[in-house]
Amino acid sequence: KAGVTQTPRYLIKTRGQQVTLSCSPISGHRSVSWYQQTPGQGLQFLFEYFSETQRNKGNFPGRFSGRQFSNSRSEMNVSTLELGDSALYLCASSLTNLTLVRGEYFGAGTRLSVL
Amino acid sequence: DAKTTQPPSMDCAEGRAANLPCNHSTISGNEYVYWYRQIHSQGPQYIIHGLKNNETNEMASLIITEDRKSSTLILPHATLRDTAVYYCIVRVAVNNDMRFGAGTRLTVKP
């Protein structure tokens, strides 16, 4: 079974630009979550999508948005990029109920550098 | 604010058991203890989770104290490939809103 696929793996943008990251979950997984990981803040939850609906949201500004398609693939968008948005963005997929399964499966991440 | 406390680093000899401690003294009754690890340049990998009973799977064992205020992850026969940062978190199982702290950097030495 293929794992969680994130594209692109690396991205360089400049301040003020916007960026779209893509995540393809494991086949059959309907929940997709996004996380931001930085050396200073560690890993922080952005949002979770399930059946095309945002089910949970972390404490990030509105510049961070996402969506999920009917095939469970998900995208996240960051508008008006700031230097502090430089981070590893991770996508994780899971079945609906974590108590029944082995937690989430993470992708390798997209490393975004904002110059 | 951190809900778990872990030592910043640990060493372990290859082939020996690695015991990684975690304190979570403010854990709530409906929160599970989850362990993940992250090898450099890769996404986090789920290892194991538990509520109050000890758990074992093909990767590791999880020992949770009776008062649930601390736990220990045990890698029974550490290999060089187990060198990674190990994260202990507490969370409600159906909630994906989780936050990793600094974790424990485990170095397995030959």
Side-chain angles (χ1 to χ4, degrees):
Chain A
K1 185 185 268 193
V4 178
T5 304
Q6 290 189 247
T7 56
R9 286 296 312 277
Y10 303 92
L11 206 49
I12 299 175
K13 292 286 188 178
T14 57
R15 278 184 300 173
Q17 287 186 309
Q18 76 163 17
V19 67
T20 299
L21 312 181
S22 179
C23 172
S24 294
I26 290 173
S27 177
H29 284 193
R30 297 167 66 189
S31 169
V32 173
S33 299
W34 288 90
Y35 300 87
Q36 181 196 65
Q37 188 174 34
T38 60
Q41 297 295 319
L43 184 139
Q44 298 182 86
F45 172 74
L46 281 156
F47 29 66
E48 183 214 354
Y49 286 86
F50 177 75
S51 292
E52 303 179 65
T53 301
Q54 188 180 89
R55 188 162 68 171
N56 205 354
K57 188 177 187 302
N59 195 24
F60 277 80
R63 301 185 297 107
F64 293 82
S65 63
R67 60 178 176 168
Q68 186 180 34
F69 303 95
S70 58
N71 61 358
S72 294
R73 191 177 70 84
S74 177
E75 290 181 346
M76 69 162 281
N77 184 277
V78 187
S79 62
T80 319
L81 284 167
E82 301 177 359
L83 295 179
D85 296 334
S86 294
L88 180 66
Y89 290 88
L90 293 158
C91 166
S93 77
S94 66
L95 295 173
T96 58
N97 188 335
L98 293 180
T99 58
L100 299 178
V101 298
R102 295 168 35 113
E104 308 93 329
Y105 291 82
F106 281 84
T110 294
R111 185 162 297 281
L112 172 65
S113 297
V114 181
L115 307 178
Chain B
D1 59 300
K3 298 186 73 173
T4 63
T5 305
Q6 298 177 254
S9 64
M10 292 181 64
D11 290 342
C12 178
E14 187 178 19
R16 305 297 292 269
N19 298 285
L20 291 87
C22 179
N23 288 319
H24 31 81
S25 58
T26 61
I27 191 170
S28 301
N30 63 344
E31 288 182 315
Y32 287 67
V33 179
Y34 276 75
W35 283 83
Y36 292 80
R37 71 181 183 184
Q38 190 168 22
I39 297 169
H40 185 62
S41 298
Q42 297 182 23
Q45 177 188 24
Y46 163 85
I47 301 173
I48 198 168
H49 76 282
L51 183 63
K52 55 182 178 181
N53 297 321
N54 297 338
E55 302 288 344
T56 296
N57 63 19
E58 66 279 6
M59 290 183 68
S61 294
L62 174 61
I63 308 298
I64 303 174
T65 58
E66 193 170 340
D67 63 7
R68 302 209 322 125
K69 293 186 177 183
S70 66
S71 61
T72 301
L73 177 75
I74 301 172
L75 307 177
H77 305 286
T79 70
L80 299 179
R81 288 179 296 178
D82 292 322
T83 293
V85 179
Y86 287 77
Y87 298 98
C88 163
I89 63 167
V90 294
R91 64 193 287 198
V92 177
V94 295
N95 189 344
N96 293 59
D97 185 354
M98 64 175 177
R99 177 182 293 241
F100 287 8
T104 296
R105 182 173 297 278
L106 174 69
T107 303
V108 180
K109 300 185 174 181

